[in-house]
Amino acid sequence: MSDLIGHDGWVQSIRQKVRTASADQRSSVIDRVFIGLALIFVIWQLHPSLILSNTTTTGGDTGAHFIVPWLAEHEVFNHFRLTGWSSAWYDGFPLLGFYFPLPSMLVALLNIFVTYNVAFKLITVLGSLIFIPSLYVLGKKFELPRPIPLCLSLVGVGYLFDTSYTIDGGNLASTLAGEYSFSLSLALGILVVSIAAKRGLTRRDMGLGALIFALATLAHILPSFWVGLALLLLIVLKRIYQKSWSDMPYTIGLVFLAGLVTAFWAIPFALRIAYSTSMGWSKVTTYSSSLFPHSLRPWLVMAVLGVIFSLWRKQMLGVLLALLGILSIAAFIFLPNSAVYNARALPFWVLSLYTLSGLFLGNMGILFGAAYRRSRLLWSASRVAVSTDTEAEENIGFEEGLYTVPSSLIGLELEAKEIATVLTPQVPAVPKEPRWFSSSNMNLGPRGQFVVAALVSVVVFLISGLGLFNPVSWLPIHPTQSFVPSWIRWNYTGYEGKAAYPQYREIMAAMQKIGKQYGCGQAMWEYNSQENSYGTPMALMLLPYWTNSCIGSMEGLFFESSATTPFHFVNQSELSANPSDAMSGLPYNGLNVALGVQHLQLLGVRYYMAFSPNIVAQANQDPQLQRIETIPAVEPTAGLKSVLGWTWNIYLVKNSSKVVPLSSWPVVLNGVKPNQASWLKGVMAWYDNPKLWSVLPAQSGPPNWTRVAVGSTNFPSNPVNPVTVSNVDQNNSSISFNVSNVGSPVLVKISYFPNWQVKGGQGPYRVGPNLMVVVPTAKHVVVYYGMTPIDYIGYGLTLISVVIVVTLIVKDNRSKHLLVSAD
């Protein structure tokens, strides 16, 4: 034994070394157990029985989102495209062109194995479930000591059940309201930041990060801006904390490659953005109550302390989160009225509060653990000073890791007394006190980690979780009841679980029958914000789903996706007793059924549905409407179970053909641009005056079309000999017809978009309000939604970049395996 003591390579005590691996394993098990328990809690609150039930998801915007993946499956993906056209809403719109394709792709993929209803539900909760482990990965990649990564994931549960805002994204309330794409993007985005935080990035990290970043962008673009900003800050912070710029090229490459992977969607999105609609959202100006509501104040205090700990301990993640939080506040306050609603910055601010609180709680756990170890060590040292008991000295050394032994002893299964015999001469009389946050004191060990995780779970539950349960009278505190559980039940019991479902099914069955009898086409229905009896005021947006795409809905969810949207909301104002008037800056006319019907005729709308008595009275007197069906309706303000004699009155709109000949040549608005401000300035006054409709204003046209100034309504009439149109055949993304003669213009009443192309004619040209004119050069004309050079470039770049990303990931892995084999 004496020979062993003289060997080089002194290390810490045998007990510490022998048990190091098993301690790490126990700590990893504790991490997994608590993360698993957090996920089980979230899943339990989401009611798995409802998630897996075959019901049609409803609730808020989600009740309309439900149809989007179905449309993508049946109208886009089946044509081997990832974006395309749908006639479901707004006289047609570019499906997934101005919204995000990844969730629909995932639903379609999952639908191979489970029913569509279940697949949709699972994807709506996917982001919320990924979110918790993603925060754990974030802490690990920033090299934070245990139990901080686990604390981050546990406070993530609090973030999910936060109710300080309800629709802006990230938390479960927003997910249930329709922002499940945002939740998925945010969870993936956190993983991207985690990868970029790694010290010493490799090409594999760059490829993997680019792939996940691309997926996050294709899920929702707003969290991607947050991720991009985080990556930029990381470059600077790594230079400050790690004294190196070496990771910067990989981080820049990650962002560049991610952009190329999304090119099939991002390039057309950027270059066609002029043909979208900005709703002109009014910014939220209640800054104090929005940023610092009562429910967030405990987290705000802990977040401030988390920043202090991060600065003291030089923890880069805390500084990053603090900077992102400050920038989120700046965005919320200073973003102007625009296409981006300033309240969309709130999720990132609240996320900073929760994650910084997790840093605080984790660091406090380490601090208290260090204090406990220090006090225990001092107590043990005092015993050593007064005791002559050798066994006591042996135990102190083994427990605190203060002995040093030769490396040759490591791994030997020796009895404690044998080890003590060898090590006794090496033990100082009084052990040295470790520093509070020395490396030997940072690791709490499995027991300490378990205690801290349990206490953090209790803190999160007391602040954010008590309100999820029915109040218990004997509790000393009475938290505000959370609305999240009731929202979950409302959404996932589906349309089928609502008291008014029989009336809803009767409406859809009637419209399906009407479509077969009178022909397929668009339907305009009276809006009422209180029409929640069916599950959501947007319930009738599912007309295409229940009628197998025969009956489209003029009201749709993706307001920004169609340039026809402004004209639809003008029509809604004229044809609804309680319209939403959702878009700002429009010249709403108020209730005017006669004018509204003329607008429907101009847009080629085939059916009109009304239920308010005063609306129905006017509609019954209009000679351009033919009532063809009445169906019981729930009165919006009378409660879920009351019908009270109200009825849906369904009218056939006369003289509303989808293709009609023109009697005059259109005129080109000289200098008009495709963007909303320029186009509306040129056509809105014209749209409000049916006396002017004999001449259509156009964005562009052949040289022989007359040019007039933008804003003018005095259009010269240049008559033509109208042709006869026959054999009109329309499907989702094309319409064909025959004409008696060539050379005379024909109006096609489908929303214009640059991807529309024509065979057997010139055009199509964009005309007011947002329709198409074709000049036939053959007697058979086909207008179809096709690919443009912009689309081919986008798909090509995506294909090339995906090959590069996969090569980086696979090749780097293979290189590592070869190096290991060589060793």
Side-chain angles (χ1 to χ4, degrees):
M1 284 292 182
S2 59
D3 293 337
L4 294 175
I5 298 174
H7 284 232
D8 295 330
W10 295 91
V11 291
Q12 293 182 334
S13 70
I14 287 178
R15 184 174 183 181
Q16 182 180 354
K17 281 295 184 180
V18 168
R19 294 188 176 182
T20 294
S22 60
D24 285 343
Q25 290 171 357
R26 290 198 302 273
S27 295
S28 297
V29 168
I30 290 172
D31 285 348
R32 295 190 187 101
V33 167
F34 273 93
I35 292 173
L37 290 174
L39 288 172
I40 289 171
F41 177 78
V42 174
I43 293 171
W44 173 42
Q45 288 297 310
L46 289 171
H47 297 289
S49 60
L50 295 181
I51 297 293
L52 298 177
S53 63
N54 194 30
T55 56
T56 310
T57 307
T58 187
D61 289 356
T62 307
H65 272 287
F66 174 84
I67 195 178
V68 177
W70 184 86
L71 292 172
E73 277 192 55
H74 292 81
E75 299 177 353
V76 177
F77 299 157
N78 59 344
H79 291 95
F80 303 101
R81 294 185 60 173
L82 299 177
T83 63
W85 188 259
S86 174
S87 58
W89 296 334
Y90 304 119
D91 248 353
F93 70 107
L95 181 62
L96 305 180
F98 294 117
Y99 203 69
F100 314 106
L102 180 63
S104 293
M105 294 163 63
L106 294 177
V107 172
L109 181 64
L110 196 56
N111 192 24
I112 297 173
F113 308 101
V114 298
T115 65
Y116 178 81
N117 284 336
V118 174
F120 179 80
K121 292 178 184 179
L122 290 173
I123 297 306
T124 62
V125 301
L126 178 62
S128 300
L129 298 180
I130 295 175
F131 178 75
I132 293 173
S134 72
L135 287 176
Y136 176 79
V137 174
L138 184 71
K140 293 290 288 185
K141 292 297 183 180
F142 272 87
E143 300 178 352
L144 295 172
R146 286 188 171 107
I148 296 178
L150 181 55
C151 291
L152 289 174
S153 63
L154 293 176
V155 298
V157 178
Y159 176 79
L160 288 179
F161 289 97
D162 177 80
T163 55
S164 62
Y165 62 91
T166 58
I167 198 171
D168 302 308
N171 58 10
L172 274 174
S174 299
T175 297
L176 295 167
E179 289 293 339
Y180 62 92
S181 296
F182 188 109
S183 300
L184 178 59
S185 176
L186 183 61
L188 294 173
I190 291 172
L191 293 177
V192 176
V193 177
S194 303
I195 292 172
K198 177 183 173 184
R199 190 191 303 265
L201 295 176
T202 65
R203 282 179 290 183
R204 179 180 181 273
D205 297 321
M206 181 174 67
L208 183 61
L211 180 60
I212 299 176
F213 195 5
L215 293 175
T217 303
L218 295 174
H220 203 291
I221 200 169
L222 290 182
S224 295
F225 290 142
W226 178 83
V227 172
L229 185 58
L231 296 182
L232 177 62
L233 292 172
L234 259 181
I235 293 174
V236 178
L237 291 175
K238 278 191 172 185
R239 178 68 182 91
I240 296 172
Y241 283 89
Q242 300 174 5
K243 311 299 181 185
S244 174
W245 295 105
S246 60
D247 288 342
M248 182 174 67
Y250 292 96
T251 305
I252 295 174
L254 183 158
V255 175
F256 180 72
L257 274 176
L260 290 180
V261 172
T262 66
F264 77 92
W265 174 82
I267 289 180
F269 177 95
L271 297 181
R272 303 298 198 199
I273 195 70
Y275 295 95
S276 66
T277 290
S278 172
M279 297 296 289
W281 303 114
S282 298
K283 66 181 296 183
V284 176
T285 56
T286 53
Y287 301 125
S288 178
S289 60
S290 297
L291 293 170
F292 311 110
H294 180 76
S295 61
L296 285 181
R297 289 173 188 174
W299 300 106
L300 178 62
V301 173
M302 289 189 287
V304 172
L305 295 173
V307 174
I308 294 173
F309 264 107
S310 298
L311 294 173
W312 175 31
R313 294 299 307 145
K314 297 182 180 180
Q315 292 171 345
M316 187 167 58
L317 176 59
V319 177
L320 175 64
L321 293 171
L323 292 173
L324 289 171
I326 293 170
L327 292 172
S328 299
I329 293 177
F332 178 69
I333 294 175
F334 297 112
L335 272 177
N337 288 344
S338 65
V340 180
Y341 185 42
N342 72 318
R344 300 310 292 270
L346 287 176
F348 308 114
W349 158 244
V350 177
L351 177 63
S352 292
L353 292 184
Y354 277 89
T355 47
L356 284 168
S357 297
L359 286 174
F360 162 71
L361 293 170
N363 276 302
M364 282 298 296
I366 293 173
L367 180 62
F368 281 119
Y372 171 75
R373 291 168 63 90
R374 182 182 177 91
S375 62
R376 191 164 177 267
L377 180 59
L378 291 174
W379 179 78
S380 300
S382 65
R383 291 186 60 196
V384 171
V386 298
S387 175
T388 57
D389 187 347
T390 304
E391 185 176 354
E393 296 176 7
E394 296 161 5
N395 290 337
I396 294 169
F398 297 145
E399 183 66 22
E400 305 300 337
L402 298 174
Y403 292 95
T404 55
V405 298
S407 59
S408 55
L409 286 180
I410 297 172
L412 295 180
E413 297 182 0
L414 303 177
E415 294 294 333
K417 291 185 178 180
E418 294 180 272
I419 299 170
T421 303
V422 176
L423 297 181
T424 299
Q426 308 297 326
V427 180
V430 179
K432 292 182 180 180
E433 300 175 14
R435 297 172 57 191
W436 285 96
F437 271 104
S438 65
S439 59
S440 64
N441 232 13
M442 289 291 284
N443 187 2
L444 294 181
R447 288 183 181 179
Q449 180 184 346
F450 179 87
V451 171
V452 172
L455 290 175
V456 171
S457 299
V458 171
V459 169
V460 173
F461 179 74
L462 289 176
I463 299 177
S464 300
L466 272 179
L468 299 173
F469 303 93
N470 292 326
V472 181
S473 58
W474 51 263
L475 282 177
I477 56 175
H478 300 282
T480 302
Q481 191 73 17
S482 173
F483 53 79
V484 172
S486 63
W487 279 21
I488 291 171
R489 289 189 294 272
W490 180 267
N491 278 31
Y492 295 129
T493 52
Y495 287 91
E496 294 85 349
K498 306 301 172 281
Y501 181 68
Q503 287 83 27
Y504 181 68
R505 277 302 303 154
E506 190 172 353
I507 293 169
M508 296 304 165
M511 292 306 295
Q512 188 173 37
K513 178 182 177 182
I514 286 170
K516 292 178 180 179
Q517 183 175 356
Y518 294 94
C520 298
Q522 302 298 106
M524 177 75 191
W525 44 273
E526 182 186 348
Y527 178 85
N528 190 301
S529 62
Q530 298 183 45
E531 196 175 82
N532 205 39
S533 306
Y534 305 131
T536 171
M538 304 177 183
L540 294 187
M541 292 182 188
L542 266 61
L543 275 166
Y545 176 76
W546 298 112
T547 63
N548 197 26
S549 295
C550 178
I551 307 298
S553 167
M554 285 302 292
E555 181 92 359
L557 180 63
F558 299 150
F559 301 150
E560 292 86 353
S561 290
S562 174
T564 305
T565 301
F567 308 99
H568 161 73
F569 279 111
V570 169
N571 299 351
Q572 186 205 78
S573 176
E574 297 162 348
L575 295 168
S576 302
N578 294 281
S580 65
D581 293 348
M583 185 173 171
S584 63
L586 295 180
Y588 293 114
N589 298 310
L591 182 59
N592 189 333
V593 172
L595 179 58
V597 170
Q598 288 179 287
H599 281 143
L600 297 185
Q601 292 172 318
L602 177 61
L603 290 171
V605 178
R606 194 168 187 83
Y607 301 105
Y608 173 50
M609 305 167 64
F611 60 85
S612 296
N614 58 337
I615 301 284
V616 172
Q618 292 188 45
N620 289 339
Q621 299 300 316
D622 195 308
Q624 298 300 315
L625 295 177
Q626 175 188 345
R627 186 164 64 179
I628 55 178
E629 185 66 88
T630 58
I631 307 166
V634 177
E635 182 186 358
T637 58
L640 296 180
K641 298 181 179 180
S642 179
V643 176
L644 298 181
W646 285 47
T647 58
W648 278 102
N649 291 257
I650 303 172
Y651 301 89
L652 178 68
V653 181
K654 301 176 182 178
N655 302 314
S656 188
S657 302
K658 292 301 283 187
V659 182
V660 296
L662 294 181
S663 57
S664 297
W665 290 103
V667 297
V668 177
L669 300 176
N670 198 25
V672 73
K673 305 296 182 184
N675 64 78
Q676 174 179 300
S678 180
W679 181 246
L680 291 185
K681 180 181 178 181
V683 302
M684 186 54 76
W686 169 90
Y687 184 69
D688 270 343
N689 190 350
K691 295 179 180 179
L692 303 176
W693 292 356
S694 59
V695 180
L696 300 178
Q699 179 186 321
S700 63
N704 63 310
W705 290 12
T706 303
R707 266 60 180 171
V708 298
V710 176
S712 171
T713 56
N714 185 22
F715 299 157
S717 177
N718 297 310
V720 296
N721 293 320
V723 298
T724 300
V725 177
S726 60
N727 297 327
V728 177
D729 183 21
Q730 181 183 5
N731 60 35
N732 174 65
S733 56
S734 70
I735 186 168
S736 63
F737 53 91
N738 295 335
V739 293
S740 57
N741 296 298
V742 300
S744 294
V746 174
L747 177 64
V748 179
K749 298 178 182 179
I750 297 175
S751 293
Y752 174 83
F753 199 72
N755 282 69
W756 283 101
Q757 301 169 36
V758 60
K759 294 179 181 177
Q762 295 177 342
Y765 304 103
R766 185 190 192 188
V767 297
N770 186 47
L771 305 176
M772 297 183 286
V773 162
V774 171
V775 181
T777 57
K779 291 190 175 182
H780 181 69
V781 181
V782 178
V783 184
Y784 65 97
Y785 187 89
M787 296 275 284
T788 67
I790 290 175
D791 299 293
Y792 287 117
I793 292 171
Y795 277 98
L797 289 175
T798 292
L799 181 61
I800 294 170
S801 59
V802 167
V803 172
I804 294 173
V805 166
V806 172
T807 302
L808 288 173
I809 297 172
V810 174
K811 186 177 180 180
D812 201 55
N813 269 340
R814 185 177 299 171
S815 299
K816 287 184 179 180
H817 289 312
L818 289 175
L819 288 174
V820 171
S821 301
D823 291 342

PDB file of all heavy atoms in Angstrom, residues 19 22 29 46 169 180 188 205 271 349 432 467 483 525 647:
ATOM      1  N   ARG A  19     -17.816   7.109  -7.322  1.00  0.00           N
ATOM      2  CA  ARG A  19     -19.249   7.343  -7.460  1.00  0.00           C
ATOM      3  C   ARG A  19     -19.597   8.465  -8.427  1.00  0.00           C
ATOM      4  O   ARG A  19     -20.756   8.804  -8.579  1.00  0.00           O
ATOM      5  CB  ARG A  19     -19.851   7.669  -6.096  1.00  0.00           C
ATOM      6  CG  ARG A  19     -19.782   6.498  -5.133  1.00  0.00           C
ATOM      7  CD  ARG A  19     -20.549   6.779  -3.877  1.00  0.00           C
ATOM      8  NE  ARG A  19     -20.557   5.631  -3.005  1.00  0.00           N
ATOM      9  CZ  ARG A  19     -21.194   5.579  -1.835  1.00  0.00           C
ATOM     10  NH1 ARG A  19     -21.887   6.627  -1.417  1.00  0.00           N
ATOM     11  NH2 ARG A  19     -21.149   4.488  -1.095  1.00  0.00           N
ATOM     12  N   SER A  22     -21.985   7.274 -11.332  1.00  0.00           N
ATOM     13  CA  SER A  22     -23.314   6.937 -10.848  1.00  0.00           C
ATOM     14  C   SER A  22     -24.065   8.176 -10.366  1.00  0.00           C
ATOM     15  O   SER A  22     -25.279   8.261 -10.509  1.00  0.00           O
ATOM     16  CB  SER A  22     -23.223   5.902  -9.721  1.00  0.00           C
ATOM     17  OG  SER A  22     -22.461   6.413  -8.636  1.00  0.00           O
ATOM     18  N   VAL A  29     -31.277  10.983 -14.259  1.00  0.00           N
ATOM     19  CA  VAL A  29     -32.573  10.346 -14.023  1.00  0.00           C
ATOM     20  C   VAL A  29     -33.534  11.338 -13.366  1.00  0.00           C
ATOM     21  O   VAL A  29     -34.720  11.424 -13.733  1.00  0.00           O
ATOM     22  CB  VAL A  29     -32.409   9.090 -13.157  1.00  0.00           C
ATOM     23  CG1 VAL A  29     -33.770   8.591 -12.665  1.00  0.00           C
ATOM     24  CG2 VAL A  29     -31.688   7.996 -13.931  1.00  0.00           C
ATOM     25  N   LEU A  46     -54.534  18.906 -20.627  1.00  0.00           N
ATOM     26  CA  LEU A  46     -55.060  18.947 -21.993  1.00  0.00           C
ATOM     27  C   LEU A  46     -56.106  17.869 -22.254  1.00  0.00           C
ATOM     28  O   LEU A  46     -56.713  17.849 -23.332  1.00  0.00           O
ATOM     29  CB  LEU A  46     -53.909  18.790 -23.005  1.00  0.00           C
ATOM     30  CG  LEU A  46     -52.954  19.980 -23.118  1.00  0.00           C
ATOM     31  CD1 LEU A  46     -51.746  19.614 -23.966  1.00  0.00           C
ATOM     32  CD2 LEU A  46     -53.659  21.197 -23.701  1.00  0.00           C
ATOM     33  N   GLY A 169     -49.605  34.519 -28.616  1.00  0.00           N
ATOM     34  CA  GLY A 169     -48.702  33.444 -28.954  1.00  0.00           C
ATOM     35  C   GLY A 169     -47.899  32.920 -27.778  1.00  0.00           C
ATOM     36  O   GLY A 169     -47.572  33.650 -26.856  1.00  0.00           O
ATOM     37  N   TYR A 180     -51.345  28.071 -32.478  1.00  0.00           N
ATOM     38  CA  TYR A 180     -50.548  26.857 -32.284  1.00  0.00           C
ATOM     39  C   TYR A 180     -49.311  26.851 -33.183  1.00  0.00           C
ATOM     40  O   TYR A 180     -48.292  26.241 -32.844  1.00  0.00           O
ATOM     41  CB  TYR A 180     -51.400  25.604 -32.510  1.00  0.00           C
ATOM     42  CG  TYR A 180     -51.965  25.462 -33.904  1.00  0.00           C
ATOM     43  CD1 TYR A 180     -51.285  24.769 -34.882  1.00  0.00           C
ATOM     44  CD2 TYR A 180     -53.203  26.017 -34.233  1.00  0.00           C
ATOM     45  CE1 TYR A 180     -51.802  24.623 -36.152  1.00  0.00           C
ATOM     46  CE2 TYR A 180     -53.733  25.878 -35.491  1.00  0.00           C
ATOM     47  CZ  TYR A 180     -53.032  25.183 -36.459  1.00  0.00           C
ATOM     48  OH  TYR A 180     -53.548  25.059 -37.726  1.00  0.00           O
ATOM     49  N   LEU A 188     -39.237  25.370 -31.345  1.00  0.00           N
ATOM     50  CA  LEU A 188     -38.137  25.054 -32.256  1.00  0.00           C
ATOM     51  C   LEU A 188     -37.072  26.146 -32.228  1.00  0.00           C
ATOM     52  O   LEU A 188     -35.871  25.864 -32.296  1.00  0.00           O
ATOM     53  CB  LEU A 188     -38.669  24.874 -33.673  1.00  0.00           C
ATOM     54  CG  LEU A 188     -39.594  23.675 -33.909  1.00  0.00           C
ATOM     55  CD1 LEU A 188     -40.184  23.718 -35.312  1.00  0.00           C
ATOM     56  CD2 LEU A 188     -38.852  22.373 -33.682  1.00  0.00           C
ATOM     57  N   ASP A 205     -23.242  21.306 -36.442  1.00  0.00           N
ATOM     58  CA  ASP A 205     -24.094  22.232 -35.683  1.00  0.00           C
ATOM     59  C   ASP A 205     -24.739  23.247 -36.618  1.00  0.00           C
ATOM     60  O   ASP A 205     -25.919  23.577 -36.468  1.00  0.00           O
ATOM     61  CB  ASP A 205     -23.266  22.961 -34.622  1.00  0.00           C
ATOM     62  CG  ASP A 205     -22.682  22.020 -33.586  1.00  0.00           C
ATOM     63  OD1 ASP A 205     -23.380  21.077 -33.196  1.00  0.00           O
ATOM     64  OD2 ASP A 205     -21.527  22.225 -33.193  1.00  0.00           O
ATOM     65  N   LEU A 271     -41.635  38.619 -52.448  1.00  0.00           N
ATOM     66  CA  LEU A 271     -41.814  39.312 -53.723  1.00  0.00           C
ATOM     67  C   LEU A 271     -43.282  39.519 -54.089  1.00  0.00           C
ATOM     68  O   LEU A 271     -43.584  40.322 -54.980  1.00  0.00           O
ATOM     69  CB  LEU A 271     -41.102  38.531 -54.836  1.00  0.00           C
ATOM     70  CG  LEU A 271     -39.571  38.425 -54.687  1.00  0.00           C
ATOM     71  CD1 LEU A 271     -38.970  37.659 -55.854  1.00  0.00           C
ATOM     72  CD2 LEU A 271     -38.929  39.814 -54.576  1.00  0.00           C
ATOM     73  N   TRP A 349     -41.464  39.062 -24.185  1.00  0.00           N
ATOM     74  CA  TRP A 349     -41.217  39.724 -22.910  1.00  0.00           C
ATOM     75  C   TRP A 349     -41.559  38.788 -21.750  1.00  0.00           C
ATOM     76  O   TRP A 349     -40.764  38.614 -20.812  1.00  0.00           O
ATOM     77  CB  TRP A 349     -42.035  41.013 -22.830  1.00  0.00           C
ATOM     78  CG  TRP A 349     -42.295  41.530 -21.446  1.00  0.00           C
ATOM     79  CD1 TRP A 349     -43.507  41.653 -20.830  1.00  0.00           C
ATOM     80  CD2 TRP A 349     -41.335  42.008 -20.499  1.00  0.00           C
ATOM     81  NE1 TRP A 349     -43.364  42.162 -19.577  1.00  0.00           N
ATOM     82  CE2 TRP A 349     -42.034  42.396 -19.338  1.00  0.00           C
ATOM     83  CE3 TRP A 349     -39.949  42.131 -20.524  1.00  0.00           C
ATOM     84  CZ2 TRP A 349     -41.412  42.899 -18.212  1.00  0.00           C
ATOM     85  CZ3 TRP A 349     -39.312  42.640 -19.395  1.00  0.00           C
ATOM     86  CH2 TRP A 349     -40.034  43.023 -18.258  1.00  0.00           C
ATOM     87  N   LYS A 432     -10.043  22.460   4.670  1.00  0.00           N
ATOM     88  CA  LYS A 432     -10.205  23.835   4.202  1.00  0.00           C
ATOM     89  C   LYS A 432     -11.646  24.083   3.793  1.00  0.00           C
ATOM     90  O   LYS A 432     -12.294  23.211   3.242  1.00  0.00           O
ATOM     91  CB  LYS A 432      -9.285  24.106   3.016  1.00  0.00           C
ATOM     92  CG  LYS A 432      -7.816  24.103   3.374  1.00  0.00           C
ATOM     93  CD  LYS A 432      -6.987  24.437   2.148  1.00  0.00           C
ATOM     94  CE  LYS A 432      -5.499  24.448   2.492  1.00  0.00           C
ATOM     95  NZ  LYS A 432      -4.676  24.770   1.300  1.00  0.00           N
ATOM     96  N   GLY A 467     -54.776  28.048  -9.726  1.00  0.00           N
ATOM     97  CA  GLY A 467     -55.979  28.518 -10.404  1.00  0.00           C
ATOM     98  C   GLY A 467     -56.548  27.531 -11.392  1.00  0.00           C
ATOM     99  O   GLY A 467     -57.663  27.714 -11.887  1.00  0.00           O
ATOM    100  N   PHE A 483     -59.082  30.337 -16.717  1.00  0.00           N
ATOM    101  CA  PHE A 483     -60.025  29.974 -17.774  1.00  0.00           C
ATOM    102  C   PHE A 483     -59.450  28.930 -18.724  1.00  0.00           C
ATOM    103  O   PHE A 483     -60.158  28.400 -19.581  1.00  0.00           O
ATOM    104  CB  PHE A 483     -60.411  31.217 -18.594  1.00  0.00           C
ATOM    105  CG  PHE A 483     -59.234  31.978 -19.131  1.00  0.00           C
ATOM    106  CD1 PHE A 483     -58.550  31.549 -20.253  1.00  0.00           C
ATOM    107  CD2 PHE A 483     -58.789  33.130 -18.499  1.00  0.00           C
ATOM    108  CE1 PHE A 483     -57.459  32.244 -20.756  1.00  0.00           C
ATOM    109  CE2 PHE A 483     -57.705  33.844 -18.981  1.00  0.00           C
ATOM    110  CZ  PHE A 483     -57.033  33.394 -20.117  1.00  0.00           C
ATOM    111  N   TRP A 525     -72.256  35.043 -45.699  1.00  0.00           N
ATOM    112  CA  TRP A 525     -73.152  34.848 -44.566  1.00  0.00           C
ATOM    113  C   TRP A 525     -73.065  36.017 -43.601  1.00  0.00           C
ATOM    114  O   TRP A 525     -72.039  36.669 -43.467  1.00  0.00           O
ATOM    115  CB  TRP A 525     -72.873  33.526 -43.851  1.00  0.00           C
ATOM    116  CG  TRP A 525     -71.418  33.202 -43.627  1.00  0.00           C
ATOM    117  CD1 TRP A 525     -70.582  32.565 -44.484  1.00  0.00           C
ATOM    118  CD2 TRP A 525     -70.646  33.502 -42.447  1.00  0.00           C
ATOM    119  NE1 TRP A 525     -69.333  32.436 -43.925  1.00  0.00           N
ATOM    120  CE2 TRP A 525     -69.332  33.002 -42.677  1.00  0.00           C
ATOM    121  CE3 TRP A 525     -70.931  34.126 -41.232  1.00  0.00           C
ATOM    122  CZ2 TRP A 525     -68.321  33.118 -41.739  1.00  0.00           C
ATOM    123  CZ3 TRP A 525     -69.906  34.235 -40.290  1.00  0.00           C
ATOM    124  CH2 TRP A 525     -68.628  33.733 -40.553  1.00  0.00           C
ATOM    125  N   THR A 647     -84.440  32.020 -37.940  1.00  0.00           N
ATOM    126  CA  THR A 647     -84.095  31.077 -39.011  1.00  0.00           C
ATOM    127  C   THR A 647     -82.979  31.646 -39.874  1.00  0.00           C
ATOM    128  O   THR A 647     -82.858  32.867 -40.047  1.00  0.00           O
ATOM    129  CB  THR A 647     -85.303  30.790 -39.922  1.00  0.00           C
ATOM    130  OG1 THR A 647     -85.770  32.034 -40.480  1.00  0.00           O
ATOM    131  CG2 THR A 647     -86.406  30.094 -39.167  1.00  0.00           C
TER     132      THR A 647
END
